[in-house]
Amino acid sequence: MVGPQLHSIRGLVHVTPLELDLDLEKGSFFGRFEWRNSFEAQVYLQHHDISKDPVCWSQLGYASGYTTYFVGRPIIYKEVACVGCGHAHCEIVGKPAEEWEDHAEMERMLPRDSLAEELFALQSQVSELQETIKAGKRDAISNSVGRSRAFREACQLIHRAAASKANVLLSGETGAGKEVFARGLHAASPRADQPFVAVNCASIPPDLIEAELFGVEKGAYTGATVSRPGKFERANQGTIFLDEVVELSPRAQASLLRVLQEGELERVGGTQVHKINVRIVAASNEDLKQAVANGKFRADLYYRLNVYPVHIPPLRERTEDIPLLTEHFVSKYNTLYNKRTSGVSDKAMRALMHYQWPGNIRELENMIERGVILTDSNQMIDEHALFPSLTEPGGMKAIDPTGHLHASATQTADPGHDELCEQLLAEGFSLDQLEARLIRTALAKAEGNITHAARLLSITRPQLAYRLDKLKGLK
C-alpha cells in the first residue's frame, strides 16, 4: 500500500484501492484503484477540451514501474476511466503485461534502462539550453545589483572580456557571485545563443570527474551501460564555467590542459578524438598561484587559465551595495512567500552595514530569506530576525546605537590568552607534527576511510589526500 500513499503524499492524485489480488510467490497480480483529484487530468483540462483517450500517462508510468519492481515481473496499468475524458473520476486497472491483448505494443512503449539514460542525458541538455536562453534574454551583469566602485570595475573588466576569445579566471571568496559574473560574461559574448554549462568541480568525486567533464564510452567501467557526452561536449560552441577548479584531480588537470592546447578530447574508455570549441571560465576561492607552489595545481594549466584574471570583490568591500541588495532580496522573497514585509528596520540595516559577511552575498540572501519568513506582513524586519545568534546562549547579545554587533564576554576575551595554545607553545611543539597527529587520529576514528576522515577535519577529500602525500615526506 506504500505505492498509493506515495502518490498521495507527492500530491499527484488521491488513491483509493477498490480491488487487490496479490501473490508474490506465484507472481500473480490484479489491482483496481480509484483516482481522484488527478493533477495530470486537471492540467490537461485547463488547456484542452475533453479528450477521446485517457491523459494520465505519467502517473500510469509511476504505478507500472513501482508495481513491476515490487512484484518482480512486468505489470502494466491502464486507465479505464479518466476525468480528462469526461468521467467523474479516474480509475486504473493493473495486471501482468502478457494478460493484456496489446501487451507487445505496450512493452515497446516502455523504455529500457539504456534508453532511459539517453533520455535523461537529453533532458539535461534541454535544461541547459533553457538556462542559456534565459541568460541570453538578459545581461546578467547589467541587471546585477550594485553601484560601488569595486563592483563597477569588475563589471567593466567582464564586459571588455566578453567580446574576446580569451579564457577568464575569476577569483573571489565563496558566495561573492562568481557564477553570476560568468553567466553575464557568456550572455554578453558572441556565444550567447550557445550553451552555458556550469560545473562545481568540488561536488564531483575525484574518480568520476573525468567522466563528467569529458564523457564516457560504453563499457569503460562497471555501470557504464551507454556512451554519453561530458560537460565539455554539451558546452561545445558555448561557455563552460568550472567553479572550484583547484579541486580537479591530477589526471583531470592533464585532460583539461589538452583541451586548452589542442581543442580536442577523448572520452573515458574511448579512442576517438572529439574536436571541441569551448570558452572556459574558471573560478576558485583559493589562491591558484599558491596551489601551484604547493604542488596541488599544475603550473602550465594555471598559466593557460590565467589569461584574463578578474577579482570579484567580497561584500565587505562594497558595503554601499548592501541596501540595494537587501531591497532586491526582500522583494524577491516577499513574492516567493506571498508576504508584504515593509523592508528592514534602520537598526537592522546598521547591523547589516557593520557585519563582516564571511559568506558574502549568498549569506546576505539567506539572512534576508530567514527574516522574511520570521516577520509578519506589514511589519519591518528587525535585527533579531536577521541575526538569530542575538538570542542564543553564548551568541551576540546586543547592537549598539551605531549598529555594531557586541559579543558576549567569552567571545570578546583576548584571543592571545588560550590555555591550550600556551601549553603547546611552552612544550616547543611542531605545527607539522600536530597536523600529522590530527590527521592520523581522524583516520583511526574513520577506520581508514579518507572521505569520512576529511569530513571529521572539515576539509575536502582532495585536500586531505594532498596532506597525506605531504606527510609521507615527513617520515
Side-chain angles (χ1 to χ4, degrees), residues 71-260:
V71 177
R73 60 183 298 193
I75 302 296
I76 301 294
Y77 282 90
K78 283 191 177 184
E79 205 171 4
V80 296
C82 182
V83 171
C85 299
H87 298 107
H89 57 79
C90 302
E91 186 176 317
I92 64 169
V93 171
K95 54 187 178 181
E98 63 273 12
E99 295 183 16
W100 293 102
E101 293 182 358
D102 55 348
H103 68 90
E105 180 182 356
M106 293 292 295
E107 288 182 318
R108 281 197 300 269
M109 296 174 66
L110 297 176
R112 298 186 182 277
D113 289 345
S114 59
L115 180 56
E117 289 184 15
E118 293 178 18
L119 290 174
F120 287 140
L122 289 172
Q123 187 179 34
S124 175
Q125 293 179 44
V126 170
S127 297
E128 290 163 0
L129 287 171
Q130 288 174 337
E131 285 296 316
T132 299
I133 292 171
K134 291 178 182 177
K137 290 181 179 178
R138 64 187 190 278
D139 186 335
I141 296 300
S142 296
N143 290 337
S144 294
V145 179
R147 63 186 177 193
S148 64
R149 180 177 178 180
F151 175 76
R152 286 187 283 107
E153 287 178 352
C155 290
Q156 189 176 19
L157 287 172
I158 290 293
H159 276 299
R160 289 183 176 179
S164 71
K165 298 180 180 179
N167 298 318
V168 175
L169 179 60
L170 302 177
S171 61
E173 298 177 6
T174 180
K178 295 187 287 294
E179 184 170 345
V180 173
F181 277 84
R183 289 185 181 276
L185 171 66
H186 173 75
S189 73
R191 300 172 182 260
D193 57 344
Q194 299 297 327
F196 175 90
V197 177
V199 184
N200 189 317
C201 301
S203 66
I204 305 174
D207 52 345
L208 295 180
I209 187 69
E210 287 185 86
E212 286 295 315
L213 290 179
F214 309 113
V216 62
E217 292 292 347
K218 181 178 180 180
Y221 53 79
T222 303
T225 59
V226 62
S227 298
R228 59 179 174 85
K231 300 291 187 181
F232 270 90
E233 288 183 72
R234 294 175 184 174
N236 194 24
Q237 303 301 323
T239 304
I240 189 167
F241 173 58
L242 300 177
D243 198 7
E244 306 295 351
V245 69
V246 72
E247 300 296 344
L248 287 176
S249 65
R251 287 185 54 181
Q253 291 182 34
S255 299
L256 177 57
L257 183 63
R258 180 182 179 185
V259 172
L260 289 166

Side-chain angles (χ1 to χ4, degrees), residues 348-385:
M349 179 57 69
R350 287 196 296 270
L352 294 175
M353 295 292 287
H354 288 95
Y355 185 55
Q356 289 302 302
W357 299 110
N360 292 293
I361 297 175
R362 184 183 297 122
E363 183 183 10
L364 173 61
E365 181 173 3
N366 294 340
M367 191 177 291
I368 297 300
E369 181 179 8
R370 180 174 61 245
V372 170
I373 293 172
L374 294 176
T375 305
D376 295 332
S377 292
N378 302 317
Q379 300 294 318
M380 300 198 79
I381 303 172
D382 63 21
E383 67 277 10
H384 294 280

